[in-house]
Amino acid sequence: MTETIESAARDDEGRPTREARRRPRVHRAWIVAAVTFVTIIGGAAFNSLPGLLIDPLHTEFGWSRGEIGLAVSIDMALYGLTAPFAAALMDRFGIRRVVAAALTMVAAGALASVWMTASWQLMIYWGLLVGLGTGSMAMAFAATVTNRWFVARRGLVTGILTAAGASGQLVFLPLCAWIVDRHGWRPASVTVALAALVVVPLVWLLMRDHPADAGLAPYGGAYVAKPAPARGAARRTVRVLFDAARTGPFWLLAGTFAICGASTNGLIRTHFVPSAHDHGMPITAAASLLAVIGVFDVIGTIFSGWLTDRFDARRLLAVYYALRGISLLFLPMLMAPEVQPPMVFFIVFYGLDWVATVPPTLALCREQYGDDSAIVFGWVLASHQVGAAVVAFLGGVARDVFGSYDVVWYASGALCAVAALMSLVIRRARAASALPGG
């Protein structure tokens, strides 16, 4: 992690400048990555809430689980659809401004929900405001930071930043579950709002948009001048989508990632707690199990990043999806009023696999689409969240109709098998990875 003195930091005779000699041994890229990690944790705090609040909102307001699931699905869909535009907006206005505004939107949506009295307000506060805010800090944010600040260790850094969302789950799920159980759902919503607001000053003071802002080269690379702000962000984002959509790998990546979202955020994160509660398990115990997923998610994602730097990303994805599908088929048999060892095994395994798919998916985007890979990944992430949104809604409807979540677990397991096959047929990129129109 030590900083290499680049040619841009040398005098006319090739000797390091006084400023370069004074620079700390830790490269600034790692500080930016640390701020990004904490920011994603703060923004991800809201993601701990929906699964905890389905039953309390149903009890207090009489809203159906389908209605509540629809609000969650709007949030997830907007989260995904905002991501590619957020990547382009970061090119235009800078990372700091976009992320600070996004955190403020998350806080506003979470805080406003305290006073809601109708389900349409839930759609606005949870769906619109929080969806747009969290979407602006989605994985495309991590991809932008990684692409700008790192040349070496990209897979590892991607894994670490991806694990930040799980770390937020680890921190906030038990806390919010305890608050909901002891004090009700409103104080939990306020806690999430405060978590987002606390991160804003940190972003503004420590985040930098580009290595050149600090007079540095990216970690492991040569100095590059900061490019001029990219205008026409929305137009560029749509153009990149149309160009990518003319290639087969894009649809395979989008399809597999849609199934990834359906089987994680849409399924487990939204419906695991109420499903376990249906079988007599206390909410706090079920939430603690989700938090344990977060622990092993961090380990699995970082390890996946390490593997992605060394092995074929397509084969890694196939293994991840196949194992995930098999585990989901066994889940209905593991539900019980008390936590049993087989359920603990499922939680540990699912945690290791949760977003292990992100580093190889991002690596394939980078391999296929070069400089536009962050925006392409944003669109692939949009498919992830659309898949999550569909299952978040249909899972609630299935529970209302069948009185059980079993059919949703089985269907998601079958979809994961399809994703494994799709991963294997993604072709390798040719020598120069670029979009047809780029």
Side-chain angles (χ1 to χ4, degrees):
M1 296 185 185
T2 57
E3 178 180 332
T4 302
I5 299 175
E6 303 294 344
S7 58
R10 296 177 180 268
D11 60 22
D12 294 338
E13 297 180 6
R15 295 173 300 186
T17 64
R18 181 177 301 174
E19 291 77 6
R21 289 193 295 270
R22 290 175 180 171
R23 285 175 187 157
R25 297 293 292 172
V26 176
H27 196 289
R28 182 62 178 266
W30 295 103
I31 297 175
V32 171
V35 174
T36 303
F37 187 90
V38 174
T39 301
I40 295 173
I41 288 177
F46 178 83
N47 293 331
S48 303
L49 278 184
L52 300 176
L53 302 192
I54 288 178
D55 285 338
L57 292 177
H58 173 71
T59 300
E60 178 172 339
F61 297 108
W63 301 335
S64 71
R65 291 175 177 83
E67 285 180 288
I68 300 169
L70 179 59
V72 177
S73 70
I74 293 172
D75 162 54
M76 291 181 174
L78 285 177
Y79 175 102
L81 294 172
T82 302
F85 292 96
L89 286 173
M90 288 176 190
D91 286 344
R92 175 66 179 88
F93 297 106
I95 297 174
R96 285 197 303 172
R97 293 179 181 177
V98 173
V99 172
L103 286 165
T104 303
M105 291 182 71
V106 172
L111 193 59
S113 66
V114 171
W115 294 282
M116 65 185 176
T117 57
S119 60
W120 66 265
Q121 294 170 325
L122 183 68
M123 313 292 176
I124 298 295
Y125 303 149
W126 278 22
L128 182 63
L129 287 177
V130 175
L132 291 174
T134 53
S136 298
M137 296 178 296
M139 295 175 195
F141 169 38
T144 300
V145 169
T146 304
N147 288 348
R148 289 187 186 183
W149 281 90
F150 291 87
V151 173
R153 302 289 188 270
R154 277 180 170 172
L156 176 63
V157 174
T158 300
I160 292 172
L161 295 183
T162 302
S167 299
Q169 176 175 298
L170 170 64
V171 171
F172 287 100
L173 254 174
L175 174 62
C176 290
W178 179 83
I179 293 173
V180 170
D181 188 53
R182 297 294 183 89
H183 305 287
W185 66 270
R186 288 179 176 84
S189 192
V190 172
T191 301
V192 167
L194 293 177
L197 286 177
V198 164
V199 184
V200 174
L202 189 65
V203 171
W204 199 256
L205 293 174
L206 298 179
M207 179 65 70
R208 293 295 180 268
D209 293 328
H210 195 278
D213 290 339
L216 299 173
Y219 180 78
Y223 180 87
V224 178
K226 183 178 180 179
R231 298 185 180 276
R235 184 169 58 252
R236 179 191 174 201
T237 301
V238 174
R239 176 187 62 78
V240 168
L241 171 62
F242 279 107
D243 288 343
R246 299 206 300 269
T247 67
F250 173 79
W251 292 106
L252 290 169
L253 289 168
T256 56
F257 224 40
I259 294 172
C260 178
S263 57
T264 52
N265 292 352
L267 183 65
I268 298 293
R269 179 171 286 166
T270 305
H271 295 296
F272 177 81
V273 171
S275 178
H277 190 55
D278 283 346
H279 289 79
M281 185 179 294
I283 289 179
T284 50
S288 296
L289 288 176
L290 276 186
V292 173
I293 283 182
V295 174
F296 288 94
D297 185 3
V298 173
I299 299 170
T301 307
I302 294 174
F303 184 55
S304 177
W306 183 85
L307 290 174
T308 301
D309 286 333
R310 290 162 174 79
F311 298 101
D312 187 340
R314 300 169 303 162
R315 297 183 185 277
L316 289 176
L317 285 178
V319 171
Y320 296 158
Y321 285 122
L323 293 176
R324 183 184 298 179
I326 292 170
S327 67
L328 284 173
L329 296 178
F330 284 97
L331 182 57
M333 306 175 217
L334 307 180
M335 292 291 184
E338 297 179 353
V339 178
Q340 303 292 337
M343 175 61 82
V344 174
F345 178 81
F346 170 85
I347 291 296
V348 171
F349 177 82
Y350 215 81
L352 292 172
D353 191 72
W354 184 270
V355 285
T357 55
V358 173
T361 300
L362 181 53
L364 288 170
C365 286
R366 191 180 297 121
E367 174 187 311
Q368 297 281 344
Y369 304 112
D371 291 340
D372 286 324
S373 61
I375 296 178
V376 173
F377 181 71
W379 284 113
V380 172
L381 176 61
S383 71
H384 180 282
Q385 293 307 114
V386 169
V390 170
V391 172
F393 172 61
L394 292 182
V397 172
R399 172 61 178 79
D400 290 333
V401 173
F402 300 109
S404 167
Y405 284 104
D406 288 359
V407 66
V408 186
W409 306 129
Y410 295 135
S412 296
L415 283 175
C416 288
V418 173
L421 295 175
M422 293 171 65
S423 300
L424 291 174
V425 299
I426 299 173
R427 63 172 174 78
R428 300 301 300 266
R430 294 174 183 172
S433 298
L435 290 175

